[in-house]
Amino acid sequence: MEIAFYLSAVVAVLATLGVVTGRHPVHALLYLIVSLIAVAMVFFALGAPFAGALEIIVYAGAIMVLFVFVVMMLNLGEAAAQQERAWLRLSTWLGPAILSGVLLLVLLVTLIGADVGGRIEGETLTAKAVGTLLFGPYLVVVELAAMLLLAALVAASHLGRSEAHDEAHAVRQVPSKRTADGRGRAASERPLGDDTSNEENSR
Amino acid sequence: MPIGDVLPEISLTLGAVAIVLFASFVRQRQHHWAAVLALLAIGLGAGLTVAQWGGAPRLTFADVWALDGVALASKLVVLVAGALVVAMSPEWMRTDRRHGEYYALVLFALLGVIMMASASDTMELVLGVLLSSVASYPLAAYHRGWAPALEAGMKYFLIGALTNALLTIGVVVLFGLTGSTGYPDIAQALATDSDRLALTIATACVVLGLTFKLAAFPAHAWMPDVAQGSPVPSAAFLTVIPKIGAAVALARFVSLLPPDVAWRAIVASISVATMTLGNVAALRQTDVRRLLGWSSVSQSGYALMAIVVLGISDQALPALVFFLASYAIANLAAFAVVTHLRGRTALDDYRGLARHAPIAATILIVSLLSLVGIPPLVGFFGKLMLFRVTLEGGYAWLALVAVINTVVSLFYYLRIVAPMMFGSRQSAVHLLSGQWARSAMAVAGVLLIAGGLGAEALSLFTGSIRFAL
């Protein structure tokens, strides 16, 4: 497994370099996906297939697809690439590069100087072991995490909805509202609680 | 699987899910029925909690869920407070286009708070804090079109994100130290020798994470804005209910720590800073809702006193729960009156209220006096128990600071009361039309008076509660 580890580690480092230096956002994202898959391979090589599969499904799959969608919707053209090129000047990356170099130096010294066995191995942590834990001691936590996601969904759908959508809905609702309410609420009236209209009136 | 042990939580969950579905398929004008559904779910949950009362304190579900007197008593307080908040909401939220979801979010937040109070596992604690936070952000910003509400929600969210991250870091460090997330295992691992520096850092992170829900220094900054800008029923919820869960969770967490970790000093200094800051900031407020927000910051400081002497005085936990209950009732009564007055917040709007709306004015005055701790109101007994356990625990200086703060607080509470009694007004008082808010206010007022009269019986009831661990 050692050769697989080193190969995928090299791919991960190169792909991450590609993310940092890439001028086109979509290219950078594609490099990032490659980098994440390479990290997943590292996990596989280290004997953690479950973490590797999660890395691919969650990061390379779900989150990166979201990233790509956002970048595509932003519709960055040649101007963005120009800007990136302008940012990639020596003066910009010199500082971070020196700092990273120091970190690399520390790592190399530790690796060479310390008494490292030089073997890569570990106990295989399977999906079954994780599942047994999740449905054993953590059962209540897992179930309530589902409730957390549901609450977050309701919250996001309440806060994330645009005003324009509400206005359109209000216009559609007017005829029925007028007959039922008897008061003929104006369509443009904002669907707010009582306090706002009151407080605005009182000032 | 001991399903019977989490029946109250299941009833809240089912209620919340039913309300989400109900609100999706029913016309907006019918959404006030969601409030009835929420009240049913809360009532069922409270009934099932009462049925659990009296058993021996124990841990269940592989030791992650505490079923002891403290958890049950705080659960009951949380549920009663939640029912009051639900009852004061329907008329306020009537014009909101997504009225129904509000109750689902309230139930989710209640569930999160109950999780915090019952958590006997750090992961469970994190999830409880997250659940109650996530469901509370939209509650604070429920009127999306109104800038102050959005500002309050945003502040709440930003401080929440930071402190929740701190809490998680603390839990991770603790896991690294002990190799476990369950409280029994953590207590066992910490009893033997472990890295004290790392443990102190983990403790500080967890305590800081919980100060957010407590609205205690240094994560208190959201409280005045939420009290002022959020819809008043949400403000009533957020100033009271998360605090109960967080205080119990904090007490449960610090009771695990070995004595040589300086958690008493940490909590005591937070307590002093919180009560002093809250009172000093409230002194010059001319905005009633903001003043109530700062006052509830200072009340968190008082509650922390009981946690400081945890383990020294055997009555610390009963005092904590009793004080939280008395604070909850008084603060909810005050906010119910503000709701009834359509969220009026300038001090001038309260001028001459005693003549124009005598019942509302009486309830507001009684609730403010109870917050100060004037006998024979319920707040007096809460503070009396707090001071007694603090003195018993040998923290006389802390009790002295609290007494000075209480005297100072009398000044700003009376600043609301005086114009209400002796001021005069020309304009009419605008009240929220409908029976929900009025009944919620009346029930809160009755509970406030009854709590004061029955304080002895209540304290007998809570006198023997203790942690399962």
Side-chain angles (χ1 to χ4, degrees), chain B residues 188-210:
Chain B
Q188 208 168 19
L190 291 182
T192 61
D193 206 26
S194 59
D195 187 345
R196 285 302 182 240
L197 178 65
L199 181 57
T200 310
I201 292 173
T203 307
C205 282
V206 171
V207 171
L208 278 181
L210 286 174

Side-chain angles (χ1 to χ4, degrees), chain A residues 137-141 144-145 147-148 150-152 154-155 157-159 161 163 166 169 173 176 180-181 185 190-196 198-200 202-203, chain B residues 1 13 17 29 61-62 64-65 91-92 95-98 101 105 108 111 115 124 127 130-131 134 138 141-146 181 289 342-345 432:
Chain A
Y138 291 117
L139 179 65
V140 182
V141 181
L144 286 164
M147 287 302 119
L148 171 64
L150 180 59
V154 174
S157 88
H158 178 76
L159 291 177
R161 187 172 284 240
E163 292 288 315
D166 276 359
H169 189 93
Q173 291 268 307
S176 62
D181 236 82
R185 225 164 253 276
R190 290 272 203 55
L192 297 176
D194 276 321
D195 69 329
T196 50
N198 272 315
E199 276 165 344
E200 276 155 20
S202 66
R203 276 166 198 167
Chain B
M1 209 165 29
T13 312
V17 174
R29 269 182 298 109
F61 271 104
V64 302
W65 191 269
E91 284 119 11
W92 185 284
T95 51
D96 197 287
R97 213 182 62 67
R98 294 166 78 86
E101 274 96 345
L105 289 170
F108 278 130
L111 184 65
M115 273 180 81
E124 181 131 357
L127 264 181
L130 278 182
L131 180 55
V134 162
Y142 214 77
H143 299 322
R144 286 160 301 151
W146 205 46
T181 59
R289 270 153 74 180
R342 314 190 79 151
R344 292 308 169 123
T345 186
L432 205 55

Side-chain angles (χ1 to χ4, degrees), chain B residues 122 175 198 314 360 372 425:
Chain B
T122 47
F175 179 74
D314 62 335
V372 188
R425 66 186 295 143

Side-chain angles (χ1 to χ4, degrees), chain B residues 281-452:
Chain B
L283 276 180
R284 302 207 48 82
Q285 293 297 330
T286 54
D287 182 305
V288 173
R289 270 153 74 180
R290 211 174 167 78
L291 189 150
L292 283 175
W294 279 117
S295 104
S296 71
V297 170
S298 72
Q299 301 277 342
S300 297
Y302 301 133
L304 285 172
M305 284 163 48
I307 300 179
V308 173
V309 294
L310 197 73
I312 305 178
S313 164
D314 62 335
Q315 285 295 301
L317 280 172
L320 176 66
V321 173
F322 193 90
F323 174 77
L324 286 172
S326 69
Y327 159 74
I329 292 175
N331 218 39
L332 282 176
F335 272 102
V337 173
V338 177
T339 309
H340 185 59
L341 298 172
R342 314 190 79 151
R344 292 308 169 123
T345 186
L347 199 53
D348 284 340
D349 286 330
Y350 287 79
R351 208 169 282 284
L353 199 67
R355 229 160 299 151
H356 290 77
I359 297 178
T362 313
I363 294 177
L364 185 54
I365 290 172
V366 171
S367 64
L368 293 179
L369 293 181
S370 176
L371 284 175
V372 188
I374 303 283
L377 298 166
V378 65
F380 165 72
F381 295 102
K383 275 200 177 158
L384 182 72
M385 287 171 78
L386 271 188
F387 290 153
R388 204 177 58 202
V389 295
T390 313
L391 288 174
E392 263 177 29
Y395 278 79
W397 63 272
L398 189 58
L400 185 69
V401 173
V403 168
I404 295 172
N405 267 297
T406 303
V407 174
V408 171
S409 75
L410 187 63
F411 171 72
Y412 63 78
Y413 288 122
L414 288 182
R415 271 188 66 206
I416 309 181
V417 173
M420 277 168 61
M421 296 291 291
F422 307 114
S424 62
R425 66 186 295 143
Q426 281 80 45
S427 57
V429 181
H430 296 283
L431 300 176
L432 205 55
S433 59
Q435 291 308 313
W436 283 92
R438 190 192 303 273
S439 346
M441 183 181 78
V443 170
V446 168
L447 275 180
L448 194 56
I449 308 274

Side-chain angles (χ1 to χ4, degrees), chain A residues 97-158:
Chain A
I98 290 175
L99 291 179
S100 323
V102 172
L103 280 184
L104 182 67
L105 203 66
V106 172
L107 189 65
L108 284 179
V109 168
T110 322
L111 281 183
I112 295 168
D115 178 28
V116 180
R119 292 221 324 255
I120 298 169
E121 59 179 5
E123 198 181 330
T124 308
L125 184 67
T126 58
K128 190 180 169 193
V130 177
T132 318
L133 260 185
L134 287 185
F135 283 90
Y138 291 117
L139 179 65
V140 182
V141 181
V142 170
E143 294 298 329
L144 286 164
M147 287 302 119
L148 171 64
L149 292 181
L150 180 59
L153 194 67
V154 174
S157 88
H158 178 76

Side-chain angles (χ1 to χ4, degrees), chain A residues 167-179:
Chain A
E167 300 282 327
H169 189 93
V171 170
R172 273 206 307 281
Q173 291 268 307
V174 165
S176 62
K177 218 173 184 177
R178 184 161 288 165
T179 49

